[in-house]
Each structure stands twice: as C-alpha cells, then as structure tokens.
Amino acid sequence: MQRFALIGAGFIGSVHAQNLASHPDVDFKLIYDIDPQRAAGLASQHGAKAATSLDQIFDNDDLDAVFIASSTDSHAQNLRYAADAGLAALVEKPIDLDLETAKSTVAYVERAGIKAMVNFNRRFDRAHAELKDLVSSGEIGELALLQLTSRGPALPPLDYLKTSGGQFRDQAVHFFDLARWISGQDPVRVNAFGSALSAPEIAEFGDVDTSISALAFPSGALAQIDCVRHTNYGYDEHIEVLGSDAMAESERQRSGHVSILRGQAAQSHGLHSNWFDRVQPTYAASLGAFVQALEEDGEVPISLREGLKSQAIAQAATRSISSGHSEIVDYSL
C-alpha cells in the first residue's frame, strides 16, 4: 500500500483525486492547494484530509509518494521538495516551461535517487500501446512514416494560452512523446510551420493554433504531427504507422459504436465533444503503472529524462517557427 498526497485541486487535480481514491493499493491521505477551500472540498469528497501547507506533505513520515498536479510554474520546485523529502513523485508535464530549469531539476532529482515519473498519460491509451507493440515486434516491417493528429474542439481560454508555453510545449508535446515512444527513436531534426487562424490575437504573444511538425529520425524514418486548437467536428486524435510490410492505425474514436440505417440514410455517432472524454481512462492507467513500479520497486514507465526529450523536441519546433528553418534537437542534460 502506497501512502499518497496530491498537490493541486483544480480540474486535473480532481481527476487524479478520484483515481487515487479508487486505487486498491493507494492510501490517499492529503490534498494541498493554494486555495484552502478548494483543497478541503475535494478532500471531503474522497476521504482524504486537506493540508494547510506544503510542510505537511514534505515534512511527513507517513507518506510514500506525491502526485504533483499544481500550476505549471510550481512543478520544478515541488519536484525538488519531493527529492529532499525522499518521496516518490508523479508529476504532470511539463517539469518546467523553461528547458534549462527543467534540466537542472531532473539532475537534482536524479542525485536524490527518488522514483519520479512524468505523466505522459497518452502512452496508456490501449490502441496507441498496440501500435507501439506492432512496431517493436517488427510486425509492420521497417518503420517509414508516422502520422499523428491532435485536433481540439475548442480554443482554451486566452488567459490559459498566455501561460501555456505555446502549442508545441502544451499540446503537441504529447505527440512528440508518442512519436519517440512508438518509433523507439529520438528525432534529430524538426521543421515546423504554424498559423493563428482561429484566434489571430494569440499571435501577439507568439502562439499558433494550427501547426504541422515534421520530424526526422536517425533511421531515415519520418513523422508528421498536425495540431489544431479548434475544429467544428469534435476532438480528433489518431495515429497511423506505415512500415515496409504493413500499415497500422490507432483509429479515431467515436462517442458511441451503434449506427442506424434507415432507407438510404445512415446515422452514426460523431467524435467525442472534448479531449477529456477521449483520454480519461489513460489517467487511471498511468497512475496504476506508477503505483505498480512503487509496489514492485521497479523502474517507472516514463522517466523525467524522457519528459525532457519530448520537451527538447517542442523547443526545437518553437525555434523552427521563428527561424523558418529545420532545427536540430538538443538532448544534452
């Protein structure tokens, strides 16, 4: 049984709270948030207690692990606190929006020797994981091309976008991670294009809402990732892998699976109305994998270094937009 605290009681914190409370091998003890009332309300729903300070979490012999789901600008500091306290840590991406700060934090955590995992939860999508297995087993032959799509149904609030780090660091980074993971390779170069089409005003702070990233792998294989913040047809996430022998696809997932045929007309379900409905099961699965690593004293599935690599690709893509050229990905720690 792993004794957990949760930092962050916002929307994603509430998702993690539900999963922590439901996991049979988790003793969910504490929740901290900068808003004490929000922490208290969420704690009361799940049988946990509200912490009034971070000291109650990081100076506590009755805890084994912490789930960091606080604001992005606090991830790195909370990881360092966990390292000092000897607590295992599962942290939402990114480690920090500034890549150099993220690198120094990872080095700090590694010196402390705690188990720490970054929560790239889409790796725990069953269909995406099957693609990974097909590529790794050689079932589709030599990898030639990856095509990944992430298209959201609605633009996030402008206040969120201003602090998100931009589309590549916030949205596309999940798919940079999937491209690395499925291919088993680290891309060496990135060429990216982007426009602010749905919300031209975001160009004022250097962001885009529609982008394409082309990745070149050491083997010669390629990947293309298209990301859109706003569509009029629902949340669309799918991946296609082309190999020398076959093509495999993690298909678009509809909100239902029953079709009605009436005369010459057909009626079927559309896509999910939002990203969360599509990926919700992956959050419980990623937590489960982390808890299993703690219970078995094994390696965590997604190390902080892997998080850094995906962030380095996002950084190179952001540079490419500005430079208008292909950019080399720097993975140095």
Side-chain angles (χ1 to χ4, degrees), residues 101-290:
T101 300
K103 287 180 179 180
S104 65
T105 300
V106 171
Y108 188 93
V109 171
E110 287 181 345
R111 287 194 297 270
I114 65 168
K115 292 186 187 298
M117 171 175 154
V118 63
N119 195 31
F120 277 120
N121 54 291
R122 279 172 171 80
R123 290 196 189 190
F124 298 93
D125 180 282
R126 289 182 60 184
H128 297 348
E130 286 183 28
L131 282 189
K132 163 67 174 174
D133 290 343
L134 288 170
V135 173
S136 298
S137 68
E139 182 73 17
I140 65 167
E142 295 297 321
L143 177 66
L145 181 67
L146 273 165
Q147 173 69 56
L148 304 96
T149 289
S150 170
R151 301 175 190 163
L155 197 76
L158 285 180
D159 286 345
Y160 172 83
L161 292 176
K162 288 177 181 178
T163 60
S164 70
Q167 189 179 49
F168 295 113
R169 295 186 183 95
D170 179 53
Q171 181 183 5
V173 70
H174 282 285
F175 298 86
F176 295 146
D177 178 71
L178 286 172
R180 284 190 58 252
W181 180 60
I182 291 171
S183 69
Q185 302 179 55
D186 292 329
V188 292
R189 299 190 71 92
V190 180
N191 203 0
F193 303 89
S195 300
L197 300 178
S198 298
E201 60 270 29
I202 69 176
E204 296 177 7
F205 48 88
D207 202 0
V208 299
D209 55 39
T210 305
S211 66
I212 294 175
S213 306
L215 312 181
F217 294 102
S219 67
L222 302 173
Q224 180 173 276
I225 300 167
D226 73 90
C227 284
V228 179
R229 288 286 198 184
H230 173 71
T231 72
N232 288 313
Y233 68 97
Y235 179 71
D236 187 354
E237 178 176 320
H238 62 277
I239 304 174
E240 182 182 291
V241 183
L242 176 65
S244 57
D245 297 334
M247 188 274 282
E249 184 178 14
S250 174
E251 299 176 350
R252 291 180 171 95
Q253 292 188 13
R254 296 180 179 271
S255 58
H257 304 285
V258 175
S259 297
I260 300 174
L261 302 179
R262 185 178 287 114
Q264 295 184 347
Q267 180 180 345
S268 60
H269 290 83
L271 302 180
H272 292 287
S273 62
N274 60 77
W275 65 270
F276 180 70
D277 286 350
R278 166 66 176 79
V279 306
Q280 183 178 5
T282 65
Y283 284 104
S286 62
L287 172 65
F290 181 65

